[in-house]
Amino acid sequence: MMTIILLVVAVAGLLALMRKQAGAKPVVVLLAITGVLSLIFASGLLALILLAGAGITAAAGLPGFRQSWLTPRVFAMFKKVAPKVSATEKVALEAGTVGWDGELFTGRPDWHNLLINRNTGLTEKEQAFVDNQCVKATSMCNAWDVAVERADLPAELWEFLKKEKFFGMIIPEEYGGLHFSAKAQSAVLQRLACNEALMVTVGVPNSLGPGELLVKYGTEEQKNHYLPRLADGREIPCFGLTGPRAGSDATSLPDTGIVCKQKFNGKETVGIRLNFEKRWITLAPIATVVGLAFRMFDPDGLLGDTKDYGITCALIPRDTKGMEIGRRHCPIGSPFLNGPIKGKDVFIPLDYIIGGQEMAGQGWRMLVECLSVGRCITLPSGAAGAAAYSVGTAGGYTRIRRQFNSPVAEMEGVQEPLARIAAQTYIAQAAVSHTANMIDRGEKPAVPSAILKYHLTEIQRSVLSDSMDVHGGKTVTLGPRNYLGIGYSGASVAITVEGANIMTRSLMIFGQGAIRCHPYVLKELAAKDNDDIEAFDEAFFGHAGLVFGNAARALTQAFGVGKADVPFDSASKRYAQGVSRFSAAFGLCSDAAMTTLGSELKMRELISARLGDMLSNLYLASMVLKHWHETQPVDGERDLMEFSLSLLLHRAENALEEFLQNLPNRAVALCLRAVTLPLGRRWDKPHDDLSRSLARAISTDSAVRTRLLATVWSTNGEGTVENPVARYNSLLKDYDKAEALYRKVTKAYAKGQLPMTALHPEERFEEALKADIFTKEETDFMRRYEEIVLEMLTVDDFPFDALASDKSTVIDHNPA
């Protein structure tokens, strides 16, 4: 019995010390004491094991011992197996900051570090712009008109965007810009997202564009000339980065700039001769100034000893000799202005380089630093806005669309996608809002930018697909009345641009995070590069302590022991504890993958992707928890929160399971499974009761629907294009009254109180009035109500030859 007691004490004590990462000394003391007690009162074999463990721990863990024999050997081995970090990778790793993503890598995230910076919302000026200028802009264009009839925004809308400085949101007020916060930029783009072309047209110049590069890196002369002109729309910018042979791998762009001497404005000038071919450049067809990324060389040494400067960024006026610009691509679904740019022997002076000559070769750093912020805002905000718009339309349509004498929103097969629409919109809104708040607090979140770009654009695709499904024939028939079809077909654009989603998931999220966010890996690599054995000793054995700590935390929390202390209410506490538990499991699995695969991990993209999925879902869950913590919940929002967090933790656990199934080292995988999932899977998909609750919430005039639609254009004004969300909101306000009357007339028809030929609702209303089943007021109400319903159910049709662009090819199938 004493042997068992001492064994339990030793194991429990070890786990407790490991959980706290207490270091080697307390472990040595614990093992030594229990070993001596075992020798005196219990088993000699147990005593031998415990005392041997104390000795090994002392030799390998206490600095005075290990530094003399173990560290040099480990350091030598590490130098051989550590992955080589290229110069471009190093720039990417050093760009941006580490925040909550780094906490998730530790395995014991400090929630106070996330909650300390509350999201205080927009300023009065910013909110007024969203409520007024943004609403006006959205009301000036219809998706069909923009995408099909004109393939452009209306002229009056262009003038409005320029006049109200939509293109100058990031430009400081001293240069004539709006100088909005990141939260305000996100709110603007969410409001504009009901029209994909409008959102992209405004979003791109405010993210990856010359404006941001000039603000951060431009010379005073460049700022003073260009920023006021960009702010008020006198200059329309574009940025040429991608080309036929450089898409996701932008560092391999083959476009060249050779330093040379040539006459410019009548004077011999040292400048750059450019040869380039770019494509997929948004706003290129109408741009007046082109930001260009190219590889800069100085073979004749005109600037010094450097021959290959690397990627450089320059600003080139549209009318520069030798540049071909103006043709268009036709992006799928929404033909926003996008096109190719070519240049043959285009000569520019050195002062066209953004930041001047001293910034030659700094283009990759500039782009990476700007991308880390822009990718957090533009496409994720557009995705969140499009998702919220789907809440408004899908919820409204499924409530007014009746089949089998009942709204289709009451059918469980429809409720399932409606619930997904609601939850994924909630997740997207929380993620963009609180990540933008981080940016406003001074962070440059590189890894979260990749998480948001990938997962929120995938949410957009998923939500739009679900919305199309529940609309049925209404949205597969294109025309002016179709408010979803154009956006749905254009969703793949967001999936592809600013880092293709396949590459972002499989390479960037974990590939960048594993080194950038890990508490020790970057320090270990720096110690290797600097041949600093003391720094390596501190980092490596700190890393070892982290591994043991995460193993202990993952194991004990999987059994429900020692749950994380989290500062959340009773409704959300268990979800935050789930995030903390999976954070420990994620940290442990990350280290296992890096240790067993080494440099090969770069090529094992599916392993990297699953670890990235774990990290991403934990990050998104954290944003939902922060959102819940900081806002006053409305009636029904708890169901929304629980569905969202259950879904995210289910996905995190699923990613863990798939990682364990596919880790090449099966022995390590089995050990990891025993530690991280000792009781198997614990997080199920959200319950059907939650699905029913959310489906009803977004398809009725509820507080949850109102909250989710807070970022959406939901008003109608005189002289504007029709707003379907406003029409649905109006119908839902009268739904309870209308539903009672639908049931009344249906019951009367079933009883034979109405003529059997009264099959249309309108006919039944009139017959019900005649039979004194309806009052005149009820009949008038239902006439008006059903008239709007029928309009929302109606789809467009066209003359027979309208869809043929070449009318001469139209076949007359029924000649006279």
Side-chain angles (χ1 to χ4, degrees):
M1 178 61 72
M2 184 58 70
T3 299
I4 294 174
I5 291 173
L6 287 171
L7 178 61
V8 170
V9 168
V11 171
L14 272 176
L15 287 172
L17 293 173
M18 288 164 61
R19 281 172 53 89
K20 295 179 180 179
Q21 294 176 223
K25 189 180 293 185
V27 173
V28 171
V29 172
L30 172 68
L31 292 176
I33 291 174
T34 52
V36 170
L37 291 175
S38 182
L39 186 64
I40 297 172
F41 298 109
S43 163
L45 177 61
L46 179 60
L48 178 63
I49 293 171
L50 293 173
L51 292 172
I56 293 170
T57 303
L62 297 176
F65 290 103
R66 71 172 185 247
Q67 289 171 358
S68 62
W69 71 279
L70 182 57
T71 302
R73 290 171 172 78
V74 175
F75 193 33
M77 185 180 301
F78 183 82
K79 288 179 178 179
K80 294 179 181 178
V81 301
K84 182 175 178 59
V85 180
S86 68
T88 52
E89 288 175 318
K90 190 172 183 181
V91 169
L93 290 171
E94 291 174 352
T97 58
V98 176
W100 182 247
D101 45 333
E103 290 283 349
L104 293 172
F105 264 90
T106 67
R108 49 176 181 177
D110 184 348
W111 290 95
H112 295 284
N113 287 340
L114 177 66
L115 301 180
I116 193 171
N117 291 322
R118 294 183 65 86
N119 186 338
T120 56
L122 308 184
T123 66
E124 287 186 18
K125 174 187 171 184
E126 291 170 339
Q127 189 63 57
F129 188 90
V130 172
D131 292 339
N132 295 291
Q133 283 90 334
C134 290
V135 168
K136 176 69 173 176
T138 53
S139 71
M140 295 173 72
C141 58
N142 169 275
W144 174 262
D145 178 58
V146 169
V148 178
E149 300 292 347
R150 10 172 132 246
D152 195 357
L153 303 179
E156 59 273 19
L157 178 53
W158 273 109
E159 289 306 310
F160 181 77
L161 296 176
K162 293 175 182 179
K163 174 177 173 288
E164 298 297 336
K165 301 183 179 180
F166 276 83
F167 302 125
M169 288 194 289
I170 64 170
I171 294 175
E173 290 181 340
E174 63 191 275
Y175 297 105
L178 296 174
H179 200 214
F180 278 174
S181 65
K183 295 191 295 290
Q185 294 172 51
S186 176
V188 167
L189 297 175
Q190 288 183 67
R191 188 60 59 93
L192 303 183
C194 58
N195 189 299
E196 180 80 5
L198 175 59
M199 190 282 295
V200 170
T201 299
V202 171
V204 170
N206 285 289
S207 57
L208 177 60
E212 186 174 12
L213 295 173
L214 283 170
V215 169
K216 294 182 178 179
Y217 309 107
T219 65
E220 286 305 311
E221 183 179 358
Q222 290 171 339
K223 291 179 181 179
N224 290 331
H225 175 75
Y226 278 114
L227 291 179
R229 300 171 66 83
L230 290 169
D232 62 19
R234 282 175 288 166
E235 300 277 10
I236 298 295
C238 70
F239 194 88
L241 177 60
T242 53
R245 291 184 172 85
S248 296
D249 182 14
T251 61
S252 67
L253 55 88
D255 308 294
T256 60
I258 308 298
V259 178
C260 62
K261 289 183 179 180
Q262 188 171 318
K263 286 224 171 163
F264 185 79
N265 291 338
K267 296 180 182 178
E268 188 171 65
T269 304
V270 176
I272 306 167
R273 185 174 65 250
L274 297 166
N275 286 280
F276 56 88
E277 183 177 0
K278 304 292 187 181
R279 64 183 179 192
W280 303 314
I281 311 305
T282 298
L283 294 183
I286 64 164
T288 61
V289 59
V290 176
L292 191 79
F294 58 92
R295 186 81 172 267
M296 180 170 159
F297 299 92
D298 183 12
D300 298 328
L302 296 179
L303 304 181
D305 295 332
T306 303
K307 303 295 184 184
D308 182 358
Y309 278 84
I311 295 176
T312 301
C313 295
L315 278 178
I316 308 173
R318 181 187 182 94
D319 58 3
T320 301
K321 184 179 179 181
M323 185 158 66
E324 297 179 33
I325 187 170
R327 292 183 64 81
R328 295 182 65 170
H329 300 309
C330 184
I332 186 172
S334 179
F336 55 89
L337 293 166
N338 185 277
I341 311 174
K342 297 179 183 179
K344 175 71 172 175
D345 293 333
V346 178
F347 182 81
I348 62 171
L350 292 173
D351 59 11
Y352 279 19
I353 296 174
I354 297 176
Q357 182 179 333
E358 65 183 45
M359 292 302 290
Q362 298 299 308
W364 180 235
R365 178 181 297 278
M366 294 159 65
L367 292 171
V368 168
E369 289 179 352
C370 288
L371 276 171
S372 69
V373 175
R375 279 195 306 183
C376 276
I377 297 175
T378 302
L379 291 176
S381 299
Y389 188 67
S390 292
V391 168
T393 54
Y397 180 82
T398 55
R399 181 57 56 183
I400 69 161
R401 174 65 167 163
R402 302 177 69 82
Q403 297 283 272
F404 311 108
N405 293 320
S406 178
V408 298
E410 295 300 322
M411 299 177 178
E412 290 193 349
V414 174
Q415 290 173 341
E416 184 179 30
L418 285 179
R420 286 197 299 264
I421 290 170
Q424 292 189 108
T425 299
Y426 191 64
I427 293 166
Q429 289 178 336
V432 294
S433 173
H434 293 289
T435 306
N437 187 58
M438 293 176 188
I439 295 171
D440 289 332
R441 300 283 181 173
E443 294 188 34
K444 297 179 180 178
V447 174
S449 76
I451 292 174
L452 262 62
K453 194 280 168 181
Y454 172 76
H455 285 276
L456 266 62
T457 55
E458 291 294 341
I459 281 176
Q460 178 182 6
R461 175 156 63 178
S462 171
V463 165
L464 288 172
S465 180
D466 279 336
S467 189
M468 291 288 289
D469 284 352
V470 300
H471 275 88
K474 165 68 177 177
T475 50
V476 298
T477 307
L478 287 176
R481 289 184 175 91
N482 189 330
Y483 42 72
L484 279 181
I486 300 292
Y488 168 76
S489 58
S492 54
V493 174
I495 298 296
T496 304
V497 300
E498 288 195 19
N501 277 12
I502 288 176
M503 305 295 285
T504 301
R505 174 176 179 257
S506 60
L507 290 176
M508 293 183 64
I509 295 176
F510 180 76
Q512 188 173 14
I515 298 177
R516 186 74 180 93
C517 301
H518 195 286
Y520 297 106
V521 169
L522 203 57
K523 296 177 182 177
E524 291 166 341
L525 292 173
K528 180 202 74 168
D529 293 339
N530 298 328
D531 201 27
D532 186 343
I533 193 169
E534 290 185 8
F536 177 80
D537 175 82
E538 181 180 352
F540 180 82
F541 287 98
H543 191 163
L546 178 68
V547 172
F548 285 112
N550 280 335
R553 286 187 287 271
L555 179 63
T556 55
Q557 291 179 39
F559 282 105
V561 178
K563 292 181 179 179
D565 183 21
V566 296
F568 293 96
D569 63 14
S570 58
S572 58
K573 183 176 182 179
R574 78 183 191 97
Y575 299 104
Q577 289 173 333
V579 171
S580 292
R581 175 201 158 192
F582 283 124
S583 171
F586 166 72
L588 182 64
C589 290
S590 297
D591 283 315
M594 287 187 283
T595 301
T596 58
L597 292 171
S599 58
E600 186 187 346
L601 183 56
K602 277 186 180 182
M603 305 304 297
R604 301 305 293 264
E605 294 176 16
L606 293 178
I607 296 294
S608 177
R610 281 147 187 159
L611 290 168
D613 289 345
M614 280 193 72
L615 175 63
S616 299
N617 283 289
L618 296 180
Y619 181 86
L620 295 175
S622 302
M623 297 301 103
V624 173
L625 284 162
K626 188 175 191 293
H627 185 73
W628 172 262
H629 180 77
E630 291 186 0
T631 58
Q632 182 65 39
V634 299
D635 288 344
E637 189 173 345
R638 175 169 177 170
D639 287 347
L640 188 57
M641 177 270 291
E642 291 190 345
F643 189 107
S644 301
L645 290 172
S646 295
L647 179 67
L648 291 168
L649 289 172
H650 171 78
R651 289 176 176 176
E653 190 173 57
N654 192 58
L656 172 60
E657 173 70 30
E658 291 181 358
F659 167 79
L660 295 174
Q661 289 174 354
N662 291 280
L663 187 67
N665 190 316
R666 298 313 300 153
V668 171
L670 289 173
C671 291
L672 288 173
R673 180 180 294 279
V675 172
T676 60
L677 295 174
L679 301 177
R681 299 283 297 272
R682 305 296 298 277
W683 286 94
D684 297 326
K685 287 184 177 181
H687 196 275
D688 288 349
D689 288 343
L690 290 176
S691 294
R692 285 189 283 269
S693 171
L694 295 192
R696 179 158 187 82
I698 69 167
S699 65
T700 58
D701 182 28
S702 71
V704 165
R705 177 180 168 90
T706 300
R707 171 151 287 187
L708 289 175
L709 295 185
T711 62
V712 174
W713 174 43
S714 56
T715 58
N716 258 337
E718 187 177 349
T720 66
V721 299
E722 195 62 53
N723 182 358
V725 175
R727 299 296 295 273
Y728 284 130
N729 284 348
S730 175
L731 288 169
L732 294 184
K733 287 185 182 300
D734 289 332
Y735 167 73
D736 287 340
K737 180 179 180 180
E739 179 61 20
L741 295 174
Y742 276 130
R743 292 184 182 279
K744 189 175 181 180
V745 77
T746 300
K747 186 176 181 180
Y749 182 81
K751 288 182 175 181
Q753 296 172 329
L754 303 178
M756 66 176 64
T757 57
L759 299 178
H760 284 283
E762 296 87 349
E763 295 172 338
R764 292 184 181 181
F765 303 152
E766 301 304 328
E767 294 297 335
L769 177 62
K770 294 177 184 177
D772 292 328
I773 296 170
F774 273 9
T775 66
K776 185 176 186 306
E777 185 276 331
E778 289 174 332
T779 305
D780 289 342
F781 169 80
M782 289 306 294
R783 285 171 183 154
R784 292 191 301 270
Y785 189 87
E786 193 65 23
E787 181 181 0
I788 301 173
V789 167
L790 186 59
E791 172 60 27
M792 299 310 292
L793 299 179
T794 299
V795 298
D796 296 288
D797 53 66
F798 302 91
F800 181 75
D801 63 349
L803 303 185
S805 58
D806 183 354
K807 306 300 182 190
S808 68
T809 64
V810 175
I811 301 170
D812 185 357
H813 291 274
N814 295 286

